[in-house]
Amino acid sequence: MSTLTVAMPEPRRHDGDVLMPFPPVVGDPTSGEGFFAVLGDSGQLTLLRELGAAGPLARSELGSRLYVSERTFARQLNSLMRTGLVLSRPMVEDHRRLECELTQAGSELLQVARYTDAVALLAPSVQFWSSRPITEIVADWRNRLVLRALLAGTQSFGSLLHLEPALTHGALARHLKVLVDCGLVRVVKPAGGGPLYELGETTRLLGRALLLSARWHLRWAPERLPRASGDLSGLIHLVAALTRVRLGVHGICRLGVQGQPTMSNWPDVHVFVDAGSSRPLVLSPMRQPDACAEARPLTWCEALLTGELSGIEIEGSEDLMEALLLALARALEPVA
């Protein structure tokens, strides 16, 4: 599942995990490949959508719907078949012809893309989104790098410029403009100082998309698990402003992710609950937490997506922990 930690990731590493604003720290740092890279490729995403809407389709009919050359169509289709998102097989009525359909992995990935782009309709400019889908913007690792840095709080242009040596002044200015224009980042202009940058409300609404993305990786590509699939800390910081805990509970909760062989050392997150709100703690508290919860990543995903907590191991005050977890699940409900 997605976990939470404000510690900065290794800024030079990036792969094709399109939907995660947190740069992964595994995989080839120079390749743009990866299952979620298809969501930043308008052609491949269009192909997935056609199959999702009308599939299975004969190969020839699918190609005619895309309005691209046969060579481009073949490249896109072969790429999706190699990654296990699309299946091609002889048609029952005519074995000389091929038909294409989404695999279960492809169907679930398309659901992630649809939900992510649905959130974009809440952006300040719908017209902007119509030409630049959110999946395309977050596909750029530099945009993800900026968003992940802003989880730690408001940042100046100068501090963001130090995230990556290859990020020039002009390049950062261009990426910030894109992120501000689409509502993922907001500009704060304090009196007597230069502009500061913080996460926009659109980004905070992406929490569910991040969970869906992490769950997809855990189900279908565990060998290429992004670092963010264990970043429960980042997720909780992302939705903290939207989390409303029921009144009458108070204390410190510790949430932990039980590691997997491919991903270890996920940090625990401590959350202070009081007066109906929750606040993630940057530093570990001096006293023992009042409630602790642990689960494997996929269990965390399912619990926070559905509100079903039976798979979570809870020690200490179950009332306190369940109140926090249900509040997080409500904050991560689908955007209306």
Side-chain angles (χ1 to χ4, degrees):
M1 102 133 225
S2 268
T3 10
L4 136 131
T5 286
V6 184
M8 290 302 298
E10 298 177 35
R12 292 195 182 99
R13 294 180 179 266
H14 50 89
D15 68 7
D17 177 18
V18 173
L19 296 183
M20 287 291 186
F22 322 140
V25 295
V26 294
D28 182 354
T30 59
S31 82
E33 299 174 354
F35 288 98
F36 280 97
V38 301
L39 300 185
D41 184 320
S42 58
Q44 292 188 36
L45 187 54
T46 299
L47 194 156
L48 285 180
R49 284 175 170 153
E50 287 293 339
L51 286 176
L57 291 171
R59 187 187 186 282
S60 57
E61 182 180 352
L62 177 60
S64 67
R65 288 170 174 246
L66 300 181
Y67 301 103
V68 296
S69 68
E70 170 60 27
R71 183 176 180 179
T72 298
F73 168 59
R75 176 184 59 80
Q76 294 172 353
L77 181 60
N78 289 337
S79 175
L80 294 173
M81 290 172 61
R82 284 196 304 270
T83 53
L85 302 177
V86 171
L87 176 67
S88 177
R89 61 190 175 194
M91 300 182 69
V92 175
E93 59 271 22
D94 185 352
H95 287 191
R96 294 170 299 177
R97 302 178 63 198
L98 296 175
E99 70 175 3
C100 303
E101 65 177 331
L102 293 178
T103 62
Q104 183 64 30
S107 296
E108 291 188 16
L109 182 60
L110 184 57
Q111 291 173 15
V112 177
R114 286 170 173 166
Y115 181 80
T116 305
D117 284 335
V119 172
L121 297 178
L122 300 176
S125 170
V126 175
Q127 183 177 3
F128 177 85
W129 281 114
S130 65
S131 60
R132 291 290 304 277
I134 191 172
T135 44
E136 179 183 329
I137 293 172
V138 186
D140 192 312
W141 67 270
R142 287 157 293 198
N143 291 334
R144 298 200 308 271
L145 188 66
V146 171
L147 293 173
R148 183 64 180 88
L150 294 179
L151 277 177
T154 303
Q155 305 278 343
S156 67
F157 186 94
S159 63
L160 293 173
L161 195 59
H162 289 94
L163 289 174
E164 164 61 50
L167 197 60
T168 65
H169 187 284
L172 177 60
R174 289 192 297 273
H175 286 284
L176 282 172
K177 183 179 187 307
V178 168
L179 293 169
V180 170
D181 285 347
C182 68
L184 292 173
V185 170
R186 191 168 73 93
V187 181
V188 180
K189 297 181 178 179
L196 300 174
Y197 300 89
E198 65 183 19
L199 292 179
E201 287 307 306
T202 304
T203 304
R204 299 192 183 282
L205 294 174
L206 284 175
R208 187 174 183 86
L210 303 185
L211 270 181
L212 291 168
S213 171
R215 182 175 68 176
W216 189 93
H217 268 96
L218 289 159
R219 282 181 175 174
W220 301 107
E223 74 285 352
R224 299 193 60 187
L225 197 59
R227 172 63 179 84
S229 295
D231 189 17
L232 184 60
S233 174
L235 178 72
I236 294 180
H237 276 82
L238 186 66
V239 299
L242 307 176
T243 304
R244 299 290 180 268
V245 185
R246 65 175 174 81
L247 297 174
V249 293
H250 169 93
I252 295 176
C253 297
R254 178 179 65 80
L255 285 67
V257 181
Q258 297 170 352
Q260 298 189 176
T262 54
M263 277 283 132
S264 60
N265 299 322
W266 280 323
D268 294 339
V269 56
H270 291 83
V271 182
F272 178 63
V273 176
D274 185 43
S277 65
S278 65
R279 186 176 78 249
L281 303 178
V282 176
L283 301 177
S284 297
M286 299 296 292
R287 65 180 179 84
Q288 291 295 314
D290 301 288
C292 301
E294 287 194 357
R296 298 187 71 80
L298 185 56
T299 303
W300 273 120
C301 281
E302 298 292 356
L304 294 181
L305 286 170
T306 65
E308 172 53 56
L309 308 180
S310 59
I312 307 294
E313 299 177 10
I314 299 177
E315 294 183 359
S317 173
E318 292 187 6
D319 188 48
L320 171 62
M321 181 60 74
E322 288 180 357
L324 172 62
L325 296 182
L326 290 176
L328 288 171
R330 286 193 297 271
L332 291 161
E333 287 179 347
V335 177

